[in-house]
Amino acid sequence: MANRREFLQMGIAASALPISTGLMLPNKSSTAENISPSIPIYRTIFDNRYAVARIFAKDIENAGGKTYGIDGDVTNLWYHDLHHRWKKGPVAIAGLTDANALFCLEQLAWSACQMHLIYCAEHKPTDGSRKLVESFPESSFLAAEKIMHYPKREAVALPPYSSLSTDDINSLVSWVIAPTKRT
Amino acid sequence: MPILPPGINETDFSAALGQFAETVGTNWVFTSDEDVALYRDAYSPFWGSDEEKLASAAVAPESVEEVQQIVRIANRYRIPLYPISTGKNYGYGGSAPVHSGSVVVDLKRMNRVLEIDERNATCLVEPGVSYFDLYNAIQEKGAKLWIDCPDPGWGSPIGNALDHGLGYTIGHFRDHFGSHCGMEVVLPNGEVLRTGPGGVPGSKTWQQYQYAFGPQLDGIFSQSNFGIVTKMGFWLAPEPEAFREDTVAVYNHDDLIPLVDVTSYLTNSSISNGLPGLGSPLLQAIGTSWGGPDSDPEHIALLQTSDRPALERYGREKNIPYWTCNIKTYGPKEVIDAQWAHAREKFASSIPGATFTEGEKLEFPLTYEQGEEYQQGRIAGGRVDFGIPNLSIFQIISRTPWNPNPKFGHYYFSPIIPKTGEAIFEASRVFTEAHDQLGLPRPPQGITSLPALYYQRSAMLLMALQVTRNIEVDQKNRSAFKELVKIAAEHGWGEYRTPPAFQDDVMNAYSFGNNALRRFNETIKDAIDPNGIISPGKSGIWPKNMRGA
């Protein structure tokens, strides 16, 4: 298990991570201030291929959240669900996926109803070894809770990297896409 | 406000934005950093450098009249505009302008499917319509029609066609601009023009006849900056009864020449109407499992040598073909079976030792879920073979053995070469040497790229350069790309499409007659857009007041 210092270090690393458009919540206070308050998470997306993401989803479900599993490809999520829901208006989504899935969802959310990626953190090996960190970063949940009134989660224990279904993963990302107040 | 258009003062820019807002509503003028950032090219080869092309703002009209008014305002204040349909042109520029400081005209709100004519197999759409939207509209109508879409289904049929995009289904439908019929264009002076029979008020054949009286103008609005296309018609494919995909395998290096020739004969004769797919199991073995536990050390060692006979012998002994070609055919079930029988005979009589594998046979209609089942195990291709849009390509896009986890995108070097085995060998030699000379990662399979055969009478190489977001590495790759453009031109090959970063280079490679092509484009540009407001620099066409700047 990572200790609290490692959590904090990961939070710092995450704040500087450029993902697609480069919008990062922790150092984007102007964005944070523009977040519409009290918007619930409509769905939490997880990548079914990874044990860590499945554990994450189970935890969300246990807390009463709705989840949607993908296998890396967001097509069905978009075609059968988000496309229809976002036609009715913007609702926030969150997730633990790879960066490619997030890239697609960020683009789709902007095109559909001008929503932004408001939080993103990368989770990757901290010591250069082929092993994911063994705890989910507390900072992401704290941020999500603060911004989205999302229920605080306890840190989730992750299985060792060797138990994941593929070995070509370098990192996963946790993220929140949500409506923002237009200025 | 991130940046101003060059040469425009803040007062005029604010006035223009205010008038844009009066036209479309304040909610549809985007000026905040967070909003404008979403018009950056996520795959920009300039990412993070001072040279990155950035928009100053964006405006999203909902109607042709609003587009006209935006153009008039832009002329008043000399504001450069950069129209996009849905802005999903990744690998070729995304939604970022060619000229930094331009205001993006985001046409995503113009998203109506205006007409689907099942009897004539045509449609008329607006630029914000995506392939998903058009597919859904056809399904909801219950029309027995197919669209032809590229790998990512989130793009716009209009945007893709205007940039000469391509797809996967039947014959000429794969050429998206070639299968359009009629367009409506807001000209730089704000007037609206309709091409083809659309020039006749109340035309009854706008989507049925591609020509008009006099010069056919449609082509000058593709890959250009001569107007903003606000409607476009397309020909759709009547849903075929059945599909089959079969494979021919050959075992000698030089068998590629007759393999391509017979494939061309079958395509040009409409005996096979699907997209042929070339492959090389013998060469790609090393590229797909480099050094992995399943690789045979003898195979790897042979691939390191230039002992081609030994490699061919190894392939025959292990039943690993040097080359393969997937032959896809759409049509009535009995007919496509007969077509494959004829194709097989043609290959067998032309290439001694060729072997054949009969593959998937499907009957239509397919449900979306059946299409999904067909997709299993495939990343590229799959559902798009049947005009079913999806986003699967983003699982693996541009992943290669030497860059297994690309994070920041890529851009394509994509020259058109002759559709012959000899040309493929020559291009492979030339570009492999160029990769070495330019310090680019050498493709491990020893052949730079097997061409895609989207077009019936030419072949296209697709070589992806990775975006690293390391400014020095990206600069080196951009320089290498420019050299590749020159090297291609020296051999008589030109690119079919390119990101904004290289559009001047590619246009300059079309240099016949002292760059007569570029100069003619500039003459048109100066005549119809004297203020240079529409997409300055697009395809290397700069307005007079910016040329040489």
Side-chain angles (χ1 to χ4, degrees), chain B residues 4-27:
Chain B
L4 287 171
I8 307 297
N9 64 47
E10 199 162 334
T11 305
D12 281 355
F13 190 53
S14 293
L17 292 178
Q19 291 181 23
F20 289 153
E22 287 172 16
T23 303
V24 301
T26 52
N27 275 348

Side-chain angles (χ1 to χ4, degrees), chain A residues 15-32:
Chain A
S15 70
L17 175 75
I19 289 286
S20 61
T21 62
L23 287 176
M24 294 294 106
L25 181 69
N27 55 5
K28 280 277 186 185
S29 58
S30 62
T31 304

Side-chain angles (χ1 to χ4, degrees), chain B residues 165-470:
Chain B
L166 297 154
Y168 287 85
T169 67
I170 302 168
H172 66 273
F173 296 104
R174 296 196 297 268
D175 174 358
H176 294 165
F177 189 76
S179 60
H180 94 277
C181 191
M183 52 171 63
E184 178 186 87
V185 187
V186 174
L187 297 172
N189 64 1
E191 284 189 312
V192 177
L193 173 149
R194 287 185 174 180
T195 66
V200 177
S203 171
K204 300 290 192 284
T205 57
W206 193 18
Q207 274 61 66
Q208 296 168 25
Y209 177 59
Q210 286 180 313
Y211 310 118
F213 189 71
Q216 191 196 17
L217 294 179
D218 298 51
I220 69 167
F221 297 110
S222 74
Q223 288 194 353
S224 84
N225 49 14
F226 299 156
I228 300 177
V229 177
T230 49
K231 291 184 183 67
M232 209 158 156
F234 292 95
W235 288 347
L236 304 170
E239 182 177 79
E241 285 181 20
F243 163 85
R244 63 177 297 156
E245 178 177 6
D246 306 287
T247 303
V248 54
V250 298
Y251 292 81
N252 298 312
H253 174 269
D254 291 348
D255 287 344
L256 183 67
I257 294 168
L259 184 69
V260 173
D261 284 346
V262 174
T263 301
S264 291
Y265 165 79
L266 296 170
T267 299
N268 295 339
S269 308
S270 298
I271 294 167
S272 168
N273 55 7
L275 173 63
L278 290 172
S280 176
L282 191 59
L283 297 179
Q284 287 174 344
I286 198 166
T288 53
S289 54
W290 176 256
D294 297 326
S295 296
D296 180 350
E298 183 186 355
H299 189 182
I300 293 172
L302 279 168
L303 285 164
Q304 302 299 310
T305 73
S306 54
D307 190 348
R308 187 181 299 159
L311 185 61
E312 289 174 336
R313 196 163 50 247
Y314 175 87
R316 279 193 293 271
E317 286 170 6
K318 302 284 186 181
N319 194 28
I320 303 174
Y322 213 117
W323 311 108
T324 57
C325 188
N326 294 341
I327 302 295
K328 299 174 183 177
T329 314
Y330 303 81
K333 189 169 177 301
E334 296 78 8
V335 174
I336 63 174
D337 287 348
Q339 286 171 308
W340 167 243
H342 181 78
R344 180 177 172 140
E345 171 54 32
K346 276 284 177 190
F347 282 118
S349 61
S350 302
I351 312 172
T355 62
F356 304 92
T357 306
E358 297 199 348
E360 194 117 27
K361 294 181 184 178
L362 295 170
E363 292 184 36
F364 303 113
L366 287 187
T367 63
Y368 194 89
E369 287 70 26
Q370 287 171 312
E372 189 181 344
E373 195 175 319
Y374 181 79
Q375 184 78 42
Q376 297 304 314
R378 302 167 194 254
I379 300 296
R383 280 173 281 196
V384 287
D385 287 345
F386 316 122
I388 303 174
N390 65 84
L391 295 166
S392 303
I393 193 72
F394 286 99
Q395 288 177 78
I396 198 170
I397 192 158
S398 204
R399 192 170 291 175
T400 65
W402 58 97
N403 188 7
N405 202 11
K407 291 174 70 172
F408 304 121
H410 59 277
Y411 46 101
Y412 289 114
F413 173 65
S414 41
I416 301 290
I417 65 169
K419 192 178 174 185
T420 65
E422 292 92 334
I424 295 169
F425 290 144
E426 185 190 4
S428 179
R429 177 186 60 74
V430 167
F431 290 120
T432 299
E433 288 173 8
H435 274 62
D436 290 348
Q437 175 194 331
L438 298 169
L440 295 171
R442 188 173 185 173
Q445 65 266 42
I447 188 162
T448 316
S449 168
L450 276 170
L453 305 179
Y454 297 108
Y455 292 115
Q456 292 201 190
R457 285 177 172 78
S458 60
M460 179 198 298
L461 295 176
L462 279 166
M463 289 173 260
L465 279 79
Q466 301 299 325
V467 176
T468 65
R469 296 196 181 174
N470 174 313

Side-chain angles (χ1 to χ4, degrees), chain A residues 20-21 30-31 71-73 75-76 78-80 100 103-104 107 110-111 114 116 122 168 170 182, chain B residues 27-30 34-35 38 42 47 88 90 108 135-136 368 372 383 391-392 394-395 405 407 469:
Chain A
S20 61
T21 62
S30 62
T31 304
D71 58 358
D73 180 3
T75 302
N76 286 341
W78 166 248
Y79 188 78
H80 293 301
N100 292 332
F103 173 73
C104 292
Q107 297 287 319
W110 168 250
S111 296
Q114 291 73 58
H116 285 292
E122 184 177 34
D168 68 355
N170 284 332
R182 300 292 310 286
Chain B
N27 275 348
W28 300 107
V29 176
F30 304 110
E34 289 82 3
D35 288 343
L38 284 161
W47 187 279
K88 300 296 191 293
Y90 294 111
K108 70 182 168 207
Y135 175 84
N136 281 341
Y368 194 89
E372 189 181 344
R383 280 173 281 196
L391 295 166
S392 303
F394 286 99
Q395 288 177 78
N405 202 11
K407 291 174 70 172
R469 296 196 181 174

Side-chain angles (χ1 to χ4, degrees), chain B residues 433-516:
Chain B
E433 288 173 8
H435 274 62
D436 290 348
Q437 175 194 331
L438 298 169
L440 295 171
R442 188 173 185 173
Q445 65 266 42
I447 188 162
T448 316
S449 168
L450 276 170
L453 305 179
Y454 297 108
Y455 292 115
Q456 292 201 190
R457 285 177 172 78
S458 60
M460 179 198 298
L461 295 176
L462 279 166
M463 289 173 260
L465 279 79
Q466 301 299 325
V467 176
T468 65
R469 296 196 181 174
N470 174 313
I471 288 176
E472 286 180 9
V473 174
D474 286 343
Q475 187 173 32
K476 180 186 157 217
N477 286 346
R478 291 199 305 272
S479 298
F481 191 106
K482 288 168 184 270
E483 285 303 311
L484 288 171
V485 172
K486 287 181 191 168
I487 291 166
E490 287 164 7
H491 290 82
W493 307 317
E495 280 63 59
Y496 96 110
R497 185 179 183 187
T498 200
F502 312 107
Q503 288 177 358
D504 287 335
D505 302 273
V506 170
M507 179 54 84
N508 286 338
Y510 285 77
S511 61
F512 175 82
N514 190 25
N515 296 94

